[in-house]
Amino acid sequence: MTGKPRGFSSTQSLVRYGTAILAVVLAVAVRQWLAGLLAGRPFIPFFLATFLVVVFAGPGPGVLATFLSAAIATYWFLEPIGSLEIAAHDDQVRLLIFVILGLAMSLGAGLTRRKRQALIEAAAARSREAAVEALKQSEEEYRTLFEASRDGIATMNLAGQILQANKAFQDMVGYSLDELKGLTCRQITAPQWRDMEDAIIRDRVLRLGDSGEYEKEYIRKDGSVFPISIRTWTVLDKKGEVVGMRAFVRDITDRKRDEDALKEADRRKDHFLATLAHELRNPLAAIRSATYALWGEASKAAKAKRELAAFAIIDRQLSHLIRLVDDLLVVSRITTGNIQLKRERVDLVEALRHAVEVAQPAIDRGGHVFEMDAPKAPLFVDGDAVRLTQIFANLLNNAAKYTENGGVVSLAAKRCGNEAMVTVRDNGMGISREMLPHLFDLPTQVDLKGPRTLGSLGIGLGLVKNLVEQHGGTVEAQSDGPGRGSQFIVRLPLADAGALSSYQ
């Protein structure tokens, strides 16, 4: 059906004719406003109003605007005022010219619309003929594909009953063609997928003509279940009417097996990383303790500066290596879901002050101006005080590291309805638009093409996102681009009076 609903058509007509009346009213207002300028030319605003109505609303509203304008102009603006009689012969001529021009414009618009509609219908008819011809050709090509394809192909009527199936489809499900003709696609679909497929056929195939590719499971004749990838199109007759459906089906058992193997390999990798991180921390801690002991002995004995410098290099590199191992451990905890929160009622403002204390050395090393704007009243949240401090210390450290010396780093917190909103802002190196969507991936570092790096695996922001989401909040990064600074906005739900009891 291509026609518009009757209610829609009536509403559209009311709008068009209402537009004509509104245009005439505006013309009256313009005529009154420019009374001195338009003395002796009463029909100019009405002519413009009628022209616009014909162009935008059509010929019918144009005729209405013509006669309504003529009546109002005669009654209000032609002598004698307040009467539909016209005393002056020149005014009679002007009125007649106005009416003729208005009707001519409306008639011309009507003829133009009819001609355009006729051209559209003729083009549509040619398109339908071309479509039918193309359909015939495609059916021939389909027949060849039907027989030779290694993918299963099945044709169904609108009730889903199978009418045709190629050899690949028959082998896939284990039924002969005669057996399949007594079945529907719903019957060979696993029960948990049937409602989903009904919705796809209703909302996509029959409405749009194409389901798009989706996955479900079929039941073989022997009762075994296997995964498939399927895409369904409508089948049209010579008149272009929908008479059935055609499905292309692929057995994806091997692909699913490979995906499961990859997931298992990924799980094993995460377990290996967690184990490796734990195993590495112990010898590193021992090495560091021994280094401190040797350093102390070297100092007591007042050994050469060269030895002290060597110990300093060892300690610095050990610190770097320990940080890498700590990052590795955090990655493994995040990917295996082993970060546990110790929830309690926490004043977020106090946690922010602790985060500033942690990040203050990095801010001081950069010579940055630090600004903090937090409410005096507490902002209570139900969360882990240590992890909340870790979130904002990470953000402040990043702001300090990615801002050139002498920059500005700010921290602001406020209440927004039932949420606390904390913003960490800097005027530093900024973030490219391409990098923003991947900023919280694990591990990721921003490519600044400059001398500053995190000196770690770059898991800080990934950890921030994970911890914020575990607190029921969100984190968002914003930047106008490289060299234009950045800001991170964290939103956390404020605590309800009885919310903490659920954690105790």
Side-chain angles (χ1 to χ4, degrees):
M1 294 179 63
T2 58
K4 294 179 180 177
R6 182 176 298 177
F8 177 83
S9 179
S10 299
T11 302
Q12 193 178 46
S13 296
L14 287 174
V15 171
R16 290 168 53 231
Y17 283 94
T19 301
I21 295 172
L22 178 62
V24 173
V25 171
L26 291 175
V28 172
V30 171
R31 177 62 180 79
Q32 291 280 40
W33 183 42
L34 300 176
L37 182 63
L38 297 177
R41 302 180 184 87
F43 292 105
I44 289 178
F46 294 103
F47 178 80
L48 292 175
T50 302
F51 174 76
L52 293 175
V53 168
V54 169
V55 171
F56 293 105
V63 172
L64 174 61
T66 298
F67 285 112
L68 187 59
S69 296
I72 291 175
T74 300
Y75 188 82
W76 277 352
F77 301 114
L78 298 181
E79 297 292 340
I81 304 299
S83 171
L84 292 177
E85 297 180 1
I86 303 175
H89 176 71
D90 289 347
D91 289 341
Q92 294 175 355
V93 173
R94 290 191 187 98
L95 176 62
L96 180 61
I97 292 173
F98 170 74
V99 171
I100 290 173
L101 289 176
L103 293 177
M105 285 190 297
S106 300
L107 178 61
L111 292 175
T112 300
R113 287 196 174 194
R114 288 191 184 92
K115 184 176 181 181
R116 183 174 59 188
Q117 186 63 31
L119 291 173
I120 292 173
E121 291 176 356
R126 288 194 297 270
S127 296
R128 284 194 295 270
E129 292 174 359
V132 170
E133 185 63 32
L135 178 63
K136 292 179 181 178
Q137 183 178 352
S138 66
E139 286 293 338
E140 294 175 359
E141 295 173 351
Y142 163 72
R143 177 54 55 187
T144 302
L145 175 65
F146 183 85
E147 299 298 339
S149 175
R150 283 190 266 181
D151 290 333
I153 303 174
T155 303
M156 299 81 68
N157 61 20
L158 293 179
Q161 183 178 3
I162 299 173
L163 304 177
Q164 288 290 335
N166 68 348
K167 186 67 166 55
F169 190 91
Q170 297 171 43
D171 294 341
M172 191 183 298
V173 295
Y175 290 99
S176 68
L177 180 58
D178 290 338
E179 290 172 325
L180 285 171
K181 286 184 177 180
L183 299 174
T184 65
C185 282
R186 184 178 176 85
Q187 288 175 298
I188 62 173
T189 297
Q192 66 269 28
W193 301 99
R194 290 172 182 172
D195 290 342
M196 180 202 75
E197 184 162 64
D198 288 344
I200 289 175
I201 291 174
R202 181 184 64 246
D203 298 335
R204 296 189 197 171
V205 180
L206 297 181
R207 288 182 59 189
L208 305 176
D210 182 0
S211 69
E213 187 173 352
Y214 63 99
E215 296 178 4
K216 64 172 187 174
E217 291 176 319
Y218 267 164
I219 305 173
R220 292 190 180 94
K221 184 178 179 179
D222 62 9
S224 61
V225 177
F226 66 101
I228 62 163
S229 173
I230 182 171
R231 185 169 185 174
T232 304
W233 288 270
T234 50
V235 175
L236 308 179
D237 62 11
K238 294 181 180 180
K239 296 180 181 179
E241 300 293 333
V242 177
V243 294
M245 297 173 288
R246 181 170 295 132
F248 282 70
V249 182
R250 177 170 295 176
D251 185 341
I252 57 173
T253 301
D254 292 340
R255 193 184 83 188
K256 286 295 184 181
R257 187 184 299 114
D258 291 342
E259 289 177 357
D260 291 340
L262 286 173
K263 289 178 182 177
E264 176 62 18
D266 192 56
R267 187 193 67 78
R268 292 177 180 273
K269 178 263 296 179
D270 292 335
H271 180 72
F272 168 75
L273 289 177
T275 303
L276 176 65
H278 281 291
E279 293 299 327
L280 284 174
R281 291 189 95 249
N282 293 328
L284 285 174
I287 293 172
R288 188 169 206 181
S289 297
T291 302
Y292 281 144
L294 290 173
W295 197 341
E297 291 298 324
S299 299
K300 290 177 182 179
K303 292 186 177 181
K305 291 183 178 180
R306 185 176 59 183
E307 295 178 345
L308 292 175
F311 283 127
I313 292 172
I314 293 172
D315 180 67
R316 188 162 56 250
Q317 295 305 316
L318 270 174
S319 298
H320 181 65
L321 186 57
I322 289 172
R323 183 171 182 181
L324 291 175
V325 172
D326 286 341
D327 284 351
L328 187 64
L329 182 60
V330 171
V331 171
S332 68
R333 286 176 177 172
I334 292 175
T335 55
T336 55
N338 287 331
I339 291 184
Q340 300 295 327
L341 300 184
K342 297 179 181 179
R343 292 183 180 271
E344 59 183 343
R345 185 62 53 85
V346 178
D347 179 7
L348 183 60
V349 176
E350 187 65 22
L352 293 177
R353 293 194 182 100
H354 292 163
V356 171
E357 292 175 2
V358 174
Q360 193 67 52
I363 295 172
D364 292 342
R365 281 196 301 271
H368 304 310
V369 175
F370 177 69
E371 301 171 351
M372 182 171 179
D373 180 14
K376 295 181 180 179
L379 296 174
F380 288 113
V381 298
D382 290 331
D384 187 321
V386 173
R387 296 304 185 185
L388 289 171
T389 298
Q390 190 176 10
I391 289 169
F392 297 105
N394 255 314
L395 294 177
L396 288 169
N397 272 321
N398 276 354
K401 291 175 182 178
Y402 289 129
T403 300
E404 295 291 348
N405 292 344
V408 178
V409 176
S410 66
L411 174 67
K414 64 179 180 179
R415 177 190 295 268
C416 294
N418 295 326
E419 292 182 326
M421 186 174 80
V422 181
T423 303
V424 177
R425 182 182 289 109
D426 63 72
N427 64 345
M429 298 183 179
I431 306 164
S432 67
R433 180 175 300 178
E434 295 76 16
M435 191 63 199
L436 278 173
H438 309 289
L439 202 60
F440 297 99
D441 292 347
L442 274 172
T444 298
Q445 273 193 292
V446 181
D447 182 11
L448 295 175
K449 294 182 172 58
R452 293 175 177 262
T453 62
L454 287 176
S456 70
L457 295 178
I459 56 94
L461 292 179
L463 178 63
V464 166
K465 182 175 185 291
N466 182 277
L467 292 177
V468 169
E469 290 177 348
Q470 286 200 54
H471 282 84
T474 61
V475 58
E476 174 189 3
Q478 298 176 353
S479 177
D480 291 331
R484 306 187 69 177
S486 59
Q487 66 176 7
F488 290 80
I489 302 172
V490 176
R491 292 180 173 85
L492 295 169
L494 293 171
D496 295 328
L500 188 59
S501 61
S502 62
Y503 303 118
Q504 295 176 338

